[in-house]
Amino acid sequence: AYIYLHNTNSMGNVTSASTEESGLEPTPKQLNMVFKALKKEFEHSSAMWQVRDKEQLMMKLRTKFQKEYPSAMGAPTIDSDIAASIGRTKLVRINRVGATHRHSNRAEVVAKLEFTNPGLSVKDRIAIAMLEDAEANGLVSPGLTTIVDVTSGNTGIAWGMVAAAKGYQTIQVIPESFSMERRALMLALGVEVVVTPAALGLGGALKKYQEILDILGDRGFAPRQFDNPANVQAHFTTTGPEIWEQCEGKIDAIVTGYGTGGSISGITSYLRKKNPNFIAIAVEPMDTSLLHGDDPKPHALQGLSPPFIPTNAKVELFDEVIRCSTKDALDTTKELAEMEGIAAGISAGANVWAACQVAERPEMEGKRIVTILPSAAERYLSTNLYADLMDQAKNLNIARVDDSVEVKDVMQRNLTSLQEDGTKFRPNFHIT
């Protein structure tokens, strides 16, 4: 299996019959793990190994091998820095949200947990991609360049993480309408945070952003996340292939907000090359749907869509737009936490709600839909999503403790008891 995996050409012919000829030297443990995994699966059901081509066989072998020996075919166990740990996020099935009003033959909905990136959002992917692209083109230098951007928070946090790891300064401009948690996280990462009046919206933030760039001159770098091709390319080269491999080639549609445009455009471009019938459905706020022809105005679904259609939102790839109300997004976000154990942000709720609507359609029976969970719930504790819970948490009654209750099995070890028990310390044990 190991030799076949690495030495079969696209026609299914074995091109090398030994590890000596191929240059591969699997360890006995690796071979044993492969054999055990294959033997177990063949005994369970040989049908699952009816594969279309070499690529599908490789994905199935890799999946089974990694379950038996996780580090053998995965990424290095020690990354060079925090930026190198971006990506390779998990894909999980949505089992309970929306299930009470769906038929048993509904489509399967799976969610990409992008909030498990090291910076806790999908924006980590584009920050490192745009920086590496700028470095490759000689546009930036560590210690000399200051990265300046306008952000709703998640991209600014991602820039703070990546800039700290790579030796850059960064200034992020954020309208005051976005959550306080995002400002605090950027400050923690060493970002210079500039807050603009909520009444001026994104337009006011852009004016301030341009003012800062004018002052910095050649020392400033503007990533321009809404029209930077590296944004789309990041998802074409990482997120899309991850989804394809995790689904072992069975994926039929994506339902997600477009935000800066990079994720839906990059993922769709990649997966449609693999599956020409792949469907892309964008999600917009019901309050202001630009692709429906609405005029831009403020909405409560942070990050789902900006007040313009970004260049990176390749609308020619979209098959449909679904509009989600604030109530449906908030309710679904809370259901995700309470019913699935997934604590995510507001846009994740909108994405899952829309994906569940698509899953109900008769034509989607037996198909698989992927959606994106862009960011973690902790960034929304002060917003209308969880503000009531914060008030509830602050006002929880302090429980009365009965001093007469005897605690059983309480741990009382200390240095004296360790010595009395005859604990033998290592010869060079010492305290500094």
Side-chain angles (χ1 to χ4, degrees):
Y2 191 88
I3 296 169
Y4 181 87
L5 176 62
H6 290 85
N7 298 285
T8 306
N9 63 25
S10 59
M11 300 300 293
N13 299 315
V14 177
T15 57
S16 177
S18 71
T19 55
E20 288 77 19
E21 293 176 39
S22 66
L24 297 167
E25 291 292 340
T27 66
K29 186 172 182 180
Q30 287 174 326
L31 289 174
N32 189 44
M33 291 296 180
V34 171
F35 175 77
K36 282 183 177 179
L38 289 175
K39 184 172 184 290
K40 181 178 178 181
E41 290 301 330
F42 272 115
E43 289 173 349
H44 180 260
S45 172
S46 60
M48 71 167 292
W49 290 97
Q50 294 176 1
V51 295
R52 296 189 305 271
D53 50 34
K54 177 192 173 187
E55 182 182 33
Q56 192 181 38
L57 175 65
M58 290 175 67
M59 290 189 289
K60 286 182 178 291
L61 283 172
R62 188 216 66 239
T63 298
K64 301 307 172 187
F65 193 13
Q66 282 183 318
K67 286 180 179 177
E68 298 290 335
Y69 193 53
S71 66
M73 296 177 72
T77 54
I78 301 176
D79 289 311
S80 58
D81 58 27
I82 191 69
S85 69
I86 294 170
R88 302 184 294 277
T89 57
K90 295 290 187 179
L91 195 65
V92 302
R93 184 176 293 109
I94 300 300
N95 297 300
R96 297 177 179 83
V97 169
T100 55
H101 57 81
R102 283 197 240 129
H103 302 294
S104 59
N105 60 355
R106 65 181 175 86
E108 179 185 28
V109 176
V110 295
K112 191 80 163 131
L113 305 186
E114 286 300 288
F115 61 80
T116 60
N117 277 299
L120 305 185
S121 90
V122 66
K123 300 301 185 180
D124 293 2
R125 293 183 188 264
I126 68 170
I128 188 61
M130 291 189 292
L131 181 61
E132 289 179 345
D133 180 72
E135 288 179 332
N137 287 286
L139 302 177
V140 296
S141 298
L144 299 175
T145 305
T146 298
I147 300 164
V148 185
D149 208 352
V150 176
T151 181
S152 64
N154 284 329
T155 308
I157 293 165
W159 274 123
M161 178 190 69
V162 170
K166 299 296 184 181
Y168 291 86
Q169 298 296 315
T170 181
I171 301 172
Q172 297 293 311
V173 183
I174 182 171
E176 68 173 326
S177 53
F178 291 99
S179 69
M180 194 67 66
E181 294 88 342
R182 301 185 188 203
R183 298 189 212 175
L185 280 166
M186 285 190 283
L187 290 170
L189 290 164
V191 176
E192 182 180 338
V193 180
V194 178
V195 182
T196 55
L200 298 181
L202 184 62
L206 286 170
K207 287 180 179 293
K208 191 64 183 177
Y209 154 84
Q210 188 60 57
E211 178 186 332
I212 294 168
L213 283 173
D214 290 344
I215 294 170
L216 288 172
D218 292 342
R219 293 180 293 116
F221 169 65
R224 301 179 61 89
Q225 59 176 310
F226 293 102
D227 59 7
N228 189 327
N231 179 347
V232 178
Q233 189 65 21
H235 294 285
F236 183 87
T237 58
T238 66
T239 326
E242 286 173 25
I243 292 169
W244 179 254
E245 292 179 9
Q246 288 168 318
C247 291
E248 296 184 339
K250 180 182 174 7
I251 183 66
D252 302 288
I254 184 170
V255 180
T256 187
Y258 54 80
T260 65
S263 56
I264 190 171
S265 300
I267 292 168
T268 299
S269 296
Y270 180 85
L271 293 179
R272 199 164 278 164
K273 287 181 66 176
K274 297 292 188 179
N275 174 10
N277 298 317
F278 185 78
I279 297 169
I281 299 176
V283 183
E284 284 192 312
M286 182 68 76
D287 293 340
T288 174
S289 171
L290 300 188
L291 291 173
H292 185 252
D294 296 347
D295 293 329
K297 63 180 180 180
H299 61 82
L301 306 185
Q302 296 186 15
L304 196 68
S305 65
F308 53 86
I309 299 172
T311 304
N312 281 334
K314 309 299 182 184
V315 296
E316 64 273 17
L317 299 175
F318 301 171
D319 294 283
E320 183 183 347
V321 176
I322 291 183
R323 294 174 290 170
C324 178
S325 71
T326 299
K327 182 180 186 304
D328 285 329
L330 293 175
D331 288 348
T332 305
T333 305
K334 292 175 181 178
E335 286 180 2
L336 275 172
E338 295 168 2
M339 300 169 67
E340 304 279 356
I342 300 173
I346 299 171
S347 59
N351 289 343
V352 171
W353 176 85
C356 289
Q357 306 311 301
V358 176
E360 292 185 42
R361 299 174 180 176
E363 67 270 22
M364 296 304 292
E365 179 180 349
K367 297 193 175 185
R368 179 179 286 155
I369 301 165
V370 67
T371 191
I372 306 298
L373 308 191
S375 56
E378 288 88 342
R379 293 179 186 177
Y380 302 86
L381 295 178
S382 65
T383 70
N384 55 347
L385 176 60
Y386 285 128
D388 58 331
L389 292 183
M390 288 298 288
D391 290 337
Q392 184 180 337
K394 291 174 184 175
N395 295 311
L396 287 173
N397 293 326
I398 306 302
R400 176 182 170 275
V401 178
D402 187 345
D403 289 338
S404 66
V405 174
E406 182 179 347
V407 180
K408 298 179 177 62
D409 301 322
V410 64
M411 185 68 71
Q412 294 181 334
R413 298 176 86 206
N414 55 33
L415 180 59
T416 301
S417 65
L418 289 173
Q419 292 169 336
E420 290 175 349
D421 290 342
T423 300
K424 292 184 179 180
F425 293 91
R426 289 176 59 82
N428 294 324
F429 173 78
H430 63 284
I431 298 172
T432 54

